[in-house]
Amino acid sequence: EAEADARLDREIEDIQQRVHEYRKQLRKHVVSSFKSRELSSSISALRLTMADAQRKKAAAAAAATANTIANMPAHVSIEVLSNGTTHMAPCIAIRTPLKTYLINAPEGTSRFLPALRLKTTNIYDIFVTRAVWENIAGISSILLAKEANSLPTRLHGAVNVKHFLECIRPFQDSDFGSVKYPSSKRDPDDPVQYPCTVEECTMASQDSYEDAGLRVKYIPLLPDQKTARESGRKNTTDMAYYIELKDAPRRIDPVRLIKMAVPKGPLIGKLKNGESITLPNGSVVTPEDVTMEDDRASSERRRALIVDVADEGYGRSLYDSTIVRSFCGPDAKHRLDFVVHLTSERVMKSDEYSKWMETLGDQCTHIVVNGASPVVPHIDSVYKHARLLHELQPALFDELRPRGWRGVVTQERDLGVEEGRLTRAAPLQRWQMRRIKGEDPILLDLKEGRGDGGEGVEVAIDEEWRVSAAEERRAASEAATALGASSTTDSSFPRITFLGTSSATPSKYRNVSGYLLETSPSSSFLVDCGEASYGQLRVLLDDGPCDELLLSMHAVFITHAHQDHMNGLYTVIEKRRDAFEQRGLPYRKLVLVCNKNVMKPLKTYTHCFEDLEKYVEVVDLATSSSAPFRRSPPGSPPSSPKRARMDNNQGLPPTTSELIPKIPAEYYDKTGWGLEGVLAVQVHHTRMANGFVFRTTDGKKIVFSGDTKPCDLLVEHGMDADLLIHEATFEDGHETDAFRKKHSTMGQAVEIAERMRAKHTILSHFSARYPKVPPLPAYLDEKRIGLAMDGLRVGFDRLSLVPLMTPIYRHVYRDELFECELKKCQKDLKKSEK
């Protein structure tokens, strides 16, 4: 380390000297000369190189500091972020005061970390037990939330994860700006160069990991030949992890400092860091001379094993491991204190696995986190918000699974289920490996009357709003009854469910884009499928109905390749496949309508991890039509010729494409699907972004804008829509931001609805700067425009209820709206002062 640091110092000094020499030469030449331009270019390149070297030096210094004795954790605990029963797949954290070690990172991890008061900036190590999507899907979101020059994030166990991150890097939403991971390759078009922030730590390069707090040994789990052949996975080596804490840090005893005559100042700091010092009188003082006697070491539970056995074919590799066998049987020198079982329930019930658990002794605590655990909420903001919306309008919003749950989620064991030595863990539950007094416990209070955001604020809802909503609901119900009397079709279909209404990143109350379209009880489709869309379905419908829905799902339509619109696709494919297998039904391919940029990550995932392509029938969204060229609507800020070429597919006119003729006949059935036609309309976002116009067999026309600036072509083909779902990322007054990021403001979306003559309009895809609700201008009431919230589930017989919620939102969220208005006034004031 010292040699590397010295090498970086020499490199920086050499660059500085060269820059100085070039600047001296530059003064001798005319500014416009070729030599002057050449020298200026060289100086700029050298400065970039020097900045890169300085960042490397700072990162190395920070890493060295992190491993000092002073950073040995005084408190270590095993904590359950998710037990796999609601939004997320199982996920475990090992928490210390300075670092968090994550065991797997499923979809939604970054969104739900705050429930445990964890931050992505403190996560430097992610241990992956199996190279499958449910364990790695949340890694990209964690990396995106980090600072540009943060310390490297190490990915332990799984191979090719970094390669997959490289693949999806170009498709990150432009709202993120320059994506900070994982490559250190220089992009000539990017003026900001970031150091590599991802390292893969696998058995190919090392068999263990060690830092100031703990040692981790990798235990490879290899399948037998039958399991390897039947699994379909490309990387069949799974990983268990043996974790051992290092010695506990000792505290400095002030009485001993006085006795040893150690003066105040830097000498005490050296003792805390484990260094011996020499006093002015010549005597030597060691750290052991001045540390307190501490009994914490005797009460520590220092050894833990993380096990994830997906199939019995992997079991033999676990039982025969030299590391594992050293803790088995009556003659074992050491005993495991904890075993965390991510193992499938089927394997856990096998005789061989049960016998192996018995060999670990009675003092070992077994923690089961595999989805077969108590169904308990693990994030208060989402559940309270859903409960509030259900109270406001039960015809549109339901409570989340587990429905009707009222209580307090704590970190103690009261919600876990004890089965002998086993504990089937509840979310947030924790076990102490090393404990200090005075810890602040985490509580999620989900009892009645606690507001909607976890802050304990009472929410007053005026009776007049309840009465108004009830009257409108009754009128809508009567109209629906009358319609049903003259029709043989169910008037509640088509039905739309909003799985996510946030833009780019999830917020505390909103997930990213995802819409469920049901044309009948036996026919459903997804339009966009952002990260954690499956989790949203699961808590809205429960497990059984969710599986039934997946069986009835015919197609997924992806508007464009940004990750907030497609990162949940792989889970939907896998869970739908599993639903067919569990029921013994012949598999029916899922039609995937998308552009080639969506297919590239899917192909990469298939190449690196598991073949998911065989479960889908791809319909390429490459559009072709003689539709006339349509420019952006009047009033849009002017664009440069280069920008115009980018906005209009490199100068080509925007196009449309009828999709039903592209779907193979064996998959499309007009009566079964309930769809007569689907039109893809190229919109103004990325070069291959599309909106969709659905025409149902009962004569309904439903338009999804996707992400777009105001688009004339969408207006033309969506004319007289029965329902328009249009993005409204920004509030009014942010037209410049909206144009730059190729989105729409709320006013622009409403104008599109008016020009389209849409009978009903629901706005969605709000910026994450509005976590609960965006500004609600008065014209929404006048024009009867609805606002989407996560969990909104609305059939055509209840569409008239959605706009009625706007004045209710305005009342309930008055504090949040006041803050929005205050920020807008402050911004306007700054502009006027310039």
Side-chain angles (χ1 to χ4, degrees), residues 757-772:
R757 299 199 300 265
K759 297 179 181 66
H760 299 278
T761 302
I762 301 178
L763 304 181
S764 185
H765 197 268
F766 306 110
S767 171
R769 71 179 70 183
Y770 319 119
K772 279 188 185 177

Side-chain angles (χ1 to χ4, degrees), residues 78 80 92 240-243 301-309 318 324 327-328 335-343 348 353 356-361 363-369 421-425 431 433:
I78 300 172
V80 179
I92 303 296
Y241 298 97
Y242 166 63
I243 299 171
R301 305 187 69 182
R302 303 177 61 177
R303 300 176 182 87
L305 180 68
I306 311 294
V307 181
D308 184 0
V309 181
L318 173 69
V324 173
F327 298 105
C328 298
R335 291 292 184 181
L336 286 171
D337 298 300
F338 299 100
V339 178
V340 179
H341 301 270
L342 301 171
T343 297
M348 285 200 67
Y353 198 89
W356 168 72
M357 289 172 59
E358 292 177 1
T359 66
L360 298 177
Q363 82 294 332
C364 181
T365 299
H366 296 270
I367 306 167
V368 181
V369 190
R421 291 171 297 159
L422 287 177
T423 299
R424 295 193 177 274
W431 285 261
M433 298 184 74

